[in-house]
Amino acid sequence: MPIEFPFPDLLPNVLLVVLSLALVILGFYLLIKLLQGVGWLLGRAGGFLGAMLADFGRLLGSGLAVPAFLAIIVVQALLSRDAQVRHYSRGMRQELALAGRAAYGLFLGNWLQLFGLRALGEGLERRLPEALATAPQSTSPRSNGFDGYTVVGNLPTGGSGARLYVARPDARKRANFTRAGRGEVTEVVIKSFALDDGSNLPEIVRESRALEFARNLGLVLEHGIDQRRFYYITPFVPGEDLGVVTARLHAISGPDGLNTLQLRHALGYVADLLETLDRYHRAGFWHKDVKPGNVIVAEGRAHLVDLGLLTPLRSTLTLTTHGTEYYRDPELVRQALKGARVTDVDGVRFDLYGVGALLFSVIENSFPGHGSLSPITKTCPEAVQWIIRRAMAELQGRYPHARAMLADVRAVMTAPDPFALKPAELPSLAGLRVEDTPPLPEPLS
Amino acid sequence: MLPSASTRFIGRLQARDPEAWFELWETFGPVLEAQLRRWGAGRIGPETVRDLSQETLTALSESIERHDPARGARFSTWLLAIARHILSGELDRRGARKRGSGQRTASLDAASAPSHPVPAPDRDYESAVFRAKVAAAVRKVERESEFLDFNIYRLRVFDGRSGQDVAAALRISEPTVSRRMARVRDALRARLGDVVSAFSFTADELDEAARNGLDWNPTKGDDSRFDEALAEVVRRQTAPPPAPGRRR
């Protein structure tokens, strides 16, 4: 039976009231939205005006500062004060860069921001400055050339302040290397610290110490030092760094993570790295800066480069915090802050933390931003996850030496199906014997 | 009344204990960086953010002897005030350098005073500070536990694997998995209590763990709820970070 409204005469009025109420509510809603929109527009316009004024002020300020810098540089140059000229030139370059950014904001960036087109300017705002900052520098050294070598290129500089040149030895040098049992050396890397290039004394002292150790390992072809610079020469390994190679392995495998074939390649590189580290450790040194950027892949093999932080395991010097964030064990920092000496800590395990972090980065195509707590999100054999955890574990739980980790990595590499291998089947967990570490050499200071 | 762990920790900072400073940096450095990045968006680059967050702790080290945590401010607000002061200082310095006006920045004491217009910490920031405390406790337990124990707990709780699965992967019995997990859970509860107390100035901050299902008193909290809550906090805490830095 249909329901009847008790007061049919009132029905139109009731509907009218309900409709009016709905309209009022809708009106309020639209008004609020309109006010919010106006507020948003005003805020945006205010932000735009503020940014324009600030950039105008910056440009004006730079316009005053640059001539002042220029005048100082000219005076210092007339007085032949090279160091001051370099100092003020750096200041002027910074001021010009500020002016450039302000001009960009004034004429383009702020407008793009105003119209919500920030993405259009990202190339100019971020990617271009990044590319400029990392562009190769002049290939010719500012100081005199290197006797017996022709500089043919350069490599990006790291954190040590050195210049890295790629050079070709002349016939005499090549003959010397062959006689010394170095084989056919066609290209070399010259790591140069020159006062004229902006290097400073502490860097030079630290690097010269590392050079001495690298020579003990037979890693240096020759070195030289004069009044203004210090350099040493190592064989050049043409290739790509492991970060680049990792990106390619992931591009081939797909977004979920490395497939079995690419995983085997990647583990092969890690195995090469562990073999090299084992050699260093047995000789009584640790690398101290293991990271993808310091591993060069050439002809299917991985080579560890950058000997700038090479340190004797038994050094009596105080431990320093040098290394690269995310690949450096936080425990190293903790010990360094306590004032521990190198000989009081286990540098081998610090290197292995770096290898664990590097293996993480290979699997994830990213870096371990949360240290040992970093989650593994890509497809990855359980056994490899275990190896990473073990390498990045606290000191006592970590692999005791590179060979123990290498045995686990090889077990995954040679497994018929790495994804089926259980952690319990890894040599380190299965209790297979890995030969004991040899005694360390006598202390070096 | 301040928790005694907090007083002890501030005392260690005041005594210039390098380990305490590193602990503070390791725990809250990333939170400060994230906050400075938000405030300075478009005005300062990632390298500057990194430098400023280190400067924040340097400023803190200079003012710590005069610091009175009994004023009633939250620990998180205290950190935020210093970070904001450092950022304002940097922006002022830039402005002054560009204008050539030689404008000086305000003193840190002024920034720490209640009258200073510090923006109220928002929920994201408070939550990041809380997660940082929990992660610090987890890291401590990881360092102190046996490798196998902690990783059994990690596989079960953080990776969400079943007890049977973990037992099979490590070729141990399920009761062993449960026993070793319980050991780590007990340690986590104890450490959570220590860490949250050390980095809390107010009762509200102290209660934060319990409010988030992480009661460190085992008679109150039930184990699976504790594990679930911890896994959630760790999952959020370990979400992908910003781009890496260079050697330093």
Side-chain angles (χ1 to χ4, degrees):
Chain A
M1 201 172 93
I3 298 167
E4 282 186 15
F5 191 71
F7 309 103
D9 297 345
L10 290 178
L11 187 59
N13 291 336
V14 170
L15 282 174
L16 196 64
V17 169
V18 170
L19 197 63
S20 306
L21 267 173
L23 280 174
V24 168
I25 290 168
L26 184 68
F28 268 116
Y29 176 77
L30 289 175
L31 187 66
I32 288 166
K33 285 287 165 197
L34 185 70
L35 287 174
Q36 277 178 342
V38 170
W40 181 81
L41 277 176
L42 285 175
R44 210 165 177 104
F48 170 76
L49 278 177
M52 290 294 274
L53 282 172
D55 282 336
F56 180 71
R58 277 173 202 150
L59 197 58
L60 203 63
S62 292
L64 295 171
V66 168
F69 269 119
L70 204 57
I72 296 172
I73 291 166
V74 170
V75 170
Q76 298 297 340
L78 288 173
L79 294 171
S80 301
R81 291 176 176 167
D82 291 352
Q84 278 87 345
V85 169
R86 281 196 299 278
H87 172 76
Y88 290 111
S89 299
R90 270 198 297 273
M92 192 169 82
R93 273 201 299 274
Q94 282 172 1
E95 203 57 51
L96 284 171
L98 274 172
R101 276 198 290 273
Y104 167 79
L106 209 52
F107 297 113
L108 186 64
N110 297 337
W111 295 92
L112 290 176
Q113 172 86 7
L114 178 68
F115 294 109
L117 299 171
R118 191 72 188 264
L120 280 180
E122 273 179 6
L124 287 170
E125 286 176 29
R126 289 190 201 161
R127 292 187 290 277
L128 183 64
E130 272 174 22
L132 287 174
T134 54
Q137 289 148 0
S138 159
T139 51
S140 39
R142 205 171 295 176
S143 335
N144 299 331
F146 302 94
D147 188 32
Y149 297 92
T150 307
V151 173
V152 294
N154 57 20
L155 299 170
T157 53
S160 66
R163 293 287 173 100
L164 294 167
Y165 301 105
V166 179
R168 290 204 183 107
D170 61 18
R172 183 175 54 87
K173 290 278 181 194
R174 282 205 304 274
N176 285 347
F177 294 144
T178 309
R179 266 200 302 278
R182 298 289 193 161
E184 184 64 20
V185 180
T186 52
E187 282 189 321
V188 297
V189 174
I190 302 175
K191 190 166 191 179
S192 167
F193 293 83
L195 295 174
D196 294 338
D197 287 338
S199 295
N200 59 47
L201 206 55
E203 284 164 356
I204 294 177
V205 170
R206 195 178 68 224
E207 198 80 14
S208 65
R209 225 181 257 140
L211 160 76
E212 198 183 318
F213 311 139
R215 284 178 61 209
N216 291 346
L217 283 167
L219 302 171
V220 176
L221 293 170
E222 69 170 307
H223 72 283
I225 189 161
D226 59 34
Q227 301 250 322
R228 309 287 305 166
R229 71 178 179 183
F230 154 76
Y231 64 89
Y232 64 88
I233 298 171
T234 54
F236 175 55
V237 183
E240 292 170 311
D241 78 49
L242 189 58
V244 175
V245 174
T246 296
R248 194 165 45 243
L249 294 180
H250 277 267
I252 295 168
S253 300
D256 296 335
L258 297 179
N259 61 30
T260 306
L261 182 63
Q262 309 310 326
L263 177 76
R264 283 191 208 277
H265 283 309
L267 290 177
Y269 304 141
V270 174
D272 289 343
L273 170 64
L274 283 164
E275 277 176 23
T276 307
L277 282 175
D278 185 43
R279 193 158 61 85
Y280 286 18
H281 296 161
R282 281 170 183 260
F285 300 95
W286 55 304
H287 185 271
K288 210 170 181 254
D289 200 15
V290 174
K291 60 177 176 180
N294 280 346
V295 175
I296 302 293
V297 177
E299 294 173 355
R301 302 302 299 264
H303 305 264
L304 183 60
V305 298
D306 194 350
L307 311 170
L309 297 180
L310 199 69
T311 307
L313 290 162
R314 288 285 180 83
S315 167
T316 50
L317 292 178
T318 308
L319 184 67
T320 66
T321 59
H322 290 105
T324 301
E325 201 175 5
Y326 303 123
Y327 297 92
R328 173 188 55 192
D329 186 359
E331 186 60 27
L332 181 151
V333 181
R334 209 169 282 122
Q335 295 295 333
L337 290 175
K338 273 185 185 172
R341 293 179 313 161
V342 175
T343 188
D344 300 330
V345 300
D346 188 350
V348 168
R349 291 185 200 230
F350 290 146
D351 264 356
L352 294 183
Y353 179 95
V355 183
L358 175 141
L359 180 52
F360 174 97
S361 74
V362 166
I363 294 296
E364 283 288 300
N365 197 18
S366 180
F367 56 95
H370 297 276
S372 57
L373 290 182
S374 305
I376 293 170
T377 56
K378 305 267 189 199
T379 309
C380 170
E382 205 176 354
V384 174
Q385 291 195 30
W386 189 264
I387 295 171
I388 293 171
R389 300 303 180 208
R390 181 90 197 264
M392 296 177 78
E394 55 74 42
L395 282 175
Q396 292 311 311
R398 195 172 301 169
Y399 287 108
H401 43 73
R403 287 183 313 291
M405 187 171 176
L406 181 60
D408 279 0
V409 170
R410 282 193 177 137
V412 184
M413 281 169 71
T414 54
D417 178 4
F419 287 88
L421 192 73
K422 300 280 180 205
E425 293 167 285
L426 291 171
S428 64
L429 259 187
L432 294 185
R433 190 175 173 276
V434 177
E435 63 175 302
D436 294 325
T437 323
L440 294 175
E442 283 309 300
L444 291 168
S445 56
Chain B
M1 181 74 183
L2 273 180
S4 60
S6 181
T7 314
R8 272 201 308 277
F9 188 76
I10 293 291
R12 283 173 62 204
L13 291 179
Q14 287 171 339
R16 299 278 190 271
D17 174 354
E19 266 196 281
W21 282 100
F22 180 69
E23 194 180 330
L24 191 72
W25 171 245
E26 193 182 34
T27 308
F28 299 108
V31 181
L32 290 177
E33 279 186 23
Q35 191 61 39
L36 287 164
R37 223 177 357 256
R38 280 172 63 192
W39 279 339
R43 289 181 289 177
I44 53 172
E47 288 296 322
T48 312
V49 164
R50 202 169 285 269
D51 291 346
L52 289 182
S53 39
Q54 291 191 3
E55 231 179 278
T56 299
L57 291 189
T58 310
L60 202 150
S61 78
E62 285 161 4
S63 71
I64 192 77
E65 278 163 28
R66 300 187 302 276
H67 178 67
D68 176 14
R71 272 185 198 166
R74 288 169 68 90
F75 173 84
S76 52
T77 313
W78 178 59
L79 266 187
L80 195 72
I82 294 167
R84 186 184 179 279
H85 165 75
I86 293 295
L87 178 67
S88 318
E90 170 66 13
L91 296 177
D92 286 352
R93 264 196 305 276
R94 286 179 175 206
R97 201 168 56 215
K98 281 166 202 127
R99 290 188 300 273
S101 68
Q103 183 182 335
R104 293 173 73 95
T105 54
S107 77
L108 181 58
D109 285 343
S112 309
S115 59
H116 193 79
V118 176
D122 62 17
R123 195 178 293 175
D124 283 351
Y125 170 75
E126 291 295 357
S127 152
V129 170
F130 172 68
R131 288 199 309 271
K133 292 176 193 175
V134 175
V138 175
R139 275 197 300 271
K140 269 178 193 275
V141 171
E142 187 191 11
R143 279 204 300 277
E144 292 159 2
S145 304
E146 272 184 37
F147 172 73
L148 196 62
D149 289 2
F150 184 81
N151 279 280
I152 285 172
Y153 189 86
R154 183 206 295 263
L155 286 168
R156 279 285 284 117
V157 176
F158 301 159
D159 296 351
R161 306 269 300 272
S162 72
Q164 196 181 14
D165 222 15
V166 174
L170 301 174
R171 295 218 177 115
I172 52 177
S173 67
E174 281 188 65
T176 306
V177 169
S178 305
R179 199 171 54 250
R180 288 183 179 246
M181 272 186 73
R183 216 185 284 172
V184 175
R185 192 184 296 111
D186 290 347
L188 281 165
R189 281 193 162 117
R191 276 300 176 199
L192 250 173
D194 294 346
V195 173
V196 172
S197 305
F199 299 124
S200 295
F201 290 169
T202 65
D204 184 58
E205 281 179 300
L206 271 174
D207 290 343
E208 219 165 5
R211 281 203 305 276
N212 284 280
L214 290 172
D215 199 326
W216 55 76
N217 184 347
T219 57
K220 285 185 187 170
D222 108 341
D223 290 349
S224 58
R225 185 161 172 258
F226 178 87
D227 289 348
E228 270 172 36
L230 187 68
E232 177 58 19
V233 173
V234 169
R235 188 187 60 73
R236 291 191 62 201
Q237 175 66 10
T238 55
R246 300 174 69 177
R247 183 199 281 179
R248 45 185 55 231

